[in-house]
Each structure stands twice: as C-alpha cells, then as structure tokens.
C-alpha cells in the first residue's frame, strides 16, 4: 500500500494498492482512494499484522496541521478507510510510525510544534477500522527533527532515530518500551550516534535486521 499527497488533486491524502507479480517482478495498481480530503503532509504508513490493517499517520492541513491517523483495510486491489483520529491537538511535523508486534500497537513519533518542537511519541491501538491513542510522551526536550523508527522484535522495543536540536543537531537514537496495559510508552537514555559535528541532513532512516538482531 502506497500513501501519498496527490498534487494533482488539491494535495489530498491518497492511497493505492500495488500488486506484485512474482513471475516477472512486475507491479500493477488498483484505483487511488482519498483518505483525507484536505492538504495532507508527511504521511507515513505501517502494517498492523495483528489486525491485518494499514495505519497512516499524517499532518492534516484540514485541521491546521494537527496530527491524525487513519486505518485502512485492503480487499483485493482496493482499500477502504475508517474514520480519522486525532493523536495530537497541535501542529506536528516529521512523523514516523512503526508497529510493535509484541504488544500489537502502533507507535507514532513526531515533532510537537505545540510544545516547543519537542520529540514526542504516542501509542495507538487498532480496533476494527478505528484507532485510539494513549497519552503522548516527550522523549526529547529539545527541537527534534526528521524522526524515523523501527521495531526490534528480538528485544520487543521501539527504536527512534532523530536529529537533536538540543545537542548540536546530532543524530540521536532512543529506545522505547510500550506498556500494553495503558497504551503508554517509556524511554531509556538518549544516545548520540556521533560526538562530532552537526548532522543536519534529513535523509536518515532506520531498520531492524532480524538475522543479527541489530538495528
């Protein structure tokens, strides 16, 4: 499933289902489906393998850039959506989303522009075609840019990578633990990837290697 901002249709949030033909490595597409009839920025997507749903987190220009998420259900080559849910009642930027398969929750990390641009994360629980959220938790009390995240299924932890404006814009990583009882998340200590000069590029990403159990 591909989610994107459709510049040819008023910047609406749109998704499309892609089908891979393994016999010749070709790809075919279903019809595009609008999931947000407003300017939709920085949409990020993950797959909830417990509920067999996709979840898209995005900046909703239809509500002043607040943070929203929506659940999508794939059927054949089409996708349908439930109702969008707000996870942050303020402008958000640079969201990242990953699925915690130990607790069967999604975790969204983002810059909270309503709270001094702090790095913040929130846990979401999918039920049928809706998603509900716990209380957002600050993991970096400084300007936080370019979030990326992954789930370490060996340690059952979320790892968030970001640029820490409070530490000379160095790339930094932090480990989060989801509490399934109340949809909360707690964090360990931040670790800067480099002690050298600032790292200001926005091209970083992160993945979990399940063969060596490393990120």
């Amino acid at each position: 499933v591909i989610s994107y901002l459709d510049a040819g249709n008023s910047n609406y949030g749109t998704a499309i289902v892609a089908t891979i033909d393994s016999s010749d490595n070709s790809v075919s597409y279903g019809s595009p489906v609008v999931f947000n009839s407003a300017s939709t920025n920085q949409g990020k997507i993950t797959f909830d393998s417990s509920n067999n749903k996709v979840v898209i987190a995005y900046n909703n220009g239809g509500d002043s850039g607040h943070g929203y998420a929506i659940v999508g259900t794939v059927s054949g080559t089409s996708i349908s959506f439930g109702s969008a849910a707000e996870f942050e009642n303020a402008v958000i930027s640079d969201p990242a989303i990953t699925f915690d398969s130990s607790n069967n929750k999604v975790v969204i990390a983002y810059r909270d522009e309503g709270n001094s641009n702090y790095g913040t994360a929130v846990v979401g629980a999918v039920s049928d075609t809706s998603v509900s959220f716990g209380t957002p938790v600050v993991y970096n009390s400084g300007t936080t840019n370019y979030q990326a995240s992954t789930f370490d299924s060996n340690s059952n932890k979320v790892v968030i990578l970001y640029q820490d404006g409070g530490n000379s814009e160095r790339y930094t990583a932090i480990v989060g633990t989801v509490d399934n009882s109340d949809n909360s998340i707690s964090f360990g200590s931040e670790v800067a990837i480099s002690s050298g000069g600032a790292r200001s590029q926005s091209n970083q990403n992160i993945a979990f290697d399940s063969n060596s159990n490393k990120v």
Side-chain angles (χ1 to χ4, degrees), residues 117-167:
N117 295 313
Y118 286 177
T120 305
V122 67
V123 176
V126 171
S127 177
D128 194 19
T129 60
S130 64
V131 58
S132 57
F133 293 98
T135 302
V137 175
V138 171
Y139 61 83
N140 181 44
S141 298
T143 298
T144 308
N145 299 311
Y146 312 133
Q147 278 77 211
S149 62
T150 193
F151 179 67
D152 179 334
S153 57
N154 178 61
S155 300
N156 292 327
K157 305 289 185 181
V158 172
V159 185
I160 301 172
L161 176 67
Y162 56 96
Q163 184 199 67
D164 185 359
N167 187 25

Side-chain angles (χ1 to χ4, degrees), residues 42 44 93-96 109-111 117 119 139 143-149 160-165 169-172 199-206:
Q42 302 176 331
K44 300 295 174 64
S93 300
D94 299 337
Y110 56 97
R111 181 173 76 240
N117 295 313
Y139 61 83
T143 298
T144 308
N145 299 311
Y146 312 133
Q147 278 77 211
S149 62
I160 301 172
L161 176 67
Y162 56 96
Q163 184 199 67
D164 185 359
E169 298 185 336
R170 292 183 174 92
Y171 281 152
T172 302
R199 301 290 186 263
S200 60
Q201 293 81 10
S202 61
N203 298 323
Q204 86 287 352
N205 217 320
I206 187 170

Side-chain angles (χ1 to χ4, degrees), residues 58-72:
Y58 57 96
N59 169 302
N60 184 5
D63 188 19
S64 303
H66 291 187
Y68 276 74
I70 195 165
V71 175

